Amino acid sequence: MKPSNLEAIHRSFEIQAAGFESRALNFTKEEYLNHTLSCVAPGRRDVVLEVAAGTCVCGRSFAPMVQTVVCLDATMSMLQIGKREADRRHLTNMVFVKGFAEELPFLDSSFDIVFSRLAFHHFTAADTAFSEMARVLKPGGKLVMIDLEAADDLLRNTEDEIEALRDPSHVKNLSKAEMRGLFAAHSVALQKCETTHMKQRLTNWLALTRTPERLQKEITARMMAELNNGEKTGFSPYMEDGAICFNQKWVLLVGVKQKPESAGPAFE
């Protein structure tokens, strides 16, 4: 099943590919990656799948700690950068696969850990993607999801509108309740659910996607209007050192796929 916004995804991430390795522009927060690894606690014999891997930043972080990492993404240019960086670091236990989250080309119960970071807001069929991730995960294996939490109900449509102006491949941010619901619906017992506020500078955020200048001006004007007590955007912008900033809410969820005979309580 190809995602219905595949062309938008290709256009957007072919533009973004190089910036994903830029410390100034990307969303690769090393401290947060290390925290994620400590929460997941992978084992030396684990086989890991990263879904919608981009340039495989997370996969490369897992690689020294596990047996094998498979990185899957729909955009070849992203995977090529991921492979180049893996080769540069002599990570020989990584495999790179072009494919779609909504139709994973793997057998049932193939992986010990299935991971996706900052991807679900691009999925037009989030439930299908999650179902596929759960399908290829072994019983007792860990499913890890990190994504952006939606703004409050009154502002989430406005937030998504601005996100899509910046990056047309954006579909929608999920609420924390919607994310938790995916785990419950697919028999993945939630073990951890936490939110971390991640500061973004507006100029860097817009530069990563090379948003056209007229749209950058529109988005900046809307942020400034909110700063001047105008219409809210859902981003809650603030000024720091003369620059517009805002805090994204990154939600980390870790669940365990229940075995057929298991019906243990989910995380509350």
Side-chain angles (χ1 to χ4, degrees), residues 212-258:
E213 186 176 355
R214 65 178 182 82
L215 295 177
Q216 290 196 38
K217 288 180 178 178
E218 178 180 343
I219 293 168
T220 302
R222 293 177 72 165
M223 297 281 191
M224 285 300 303
E226 179 170 357
L227 286 166
N228 291 316
N229 299 315
E231 184 178 352
K232 294 186 181 298
T233 62
F235 287 81
S236 301
Y238 57 92
M239 298 298 296
E240 185 174 286
D241 298 327
I244 300 175
C245 299
F246 58 91
N247 292 330
Q248 292 177 326
K249 291 183 286 186
W250 290 18
V251 183
L252 166 64
L253 305 101
V254 181
V256 174
K257 182 176 178 178
Q258 295 186 284

Side-chain angles (χ1 to χ4, degrees), residues 151-172:
D152 294 340
D153 286 347
L154 292 176
L155 291 172
R156 64 184 299 181
N157 288 340
T158 301
E159 179 190 50
D160 282 331
E161 176 191 343
I162 293 172
E163 290 269 14
L165 284 176
R166 177 242 181 191
D167 178 357
S169 70
H170 177 90
V171 176
K172 72 172 185 176

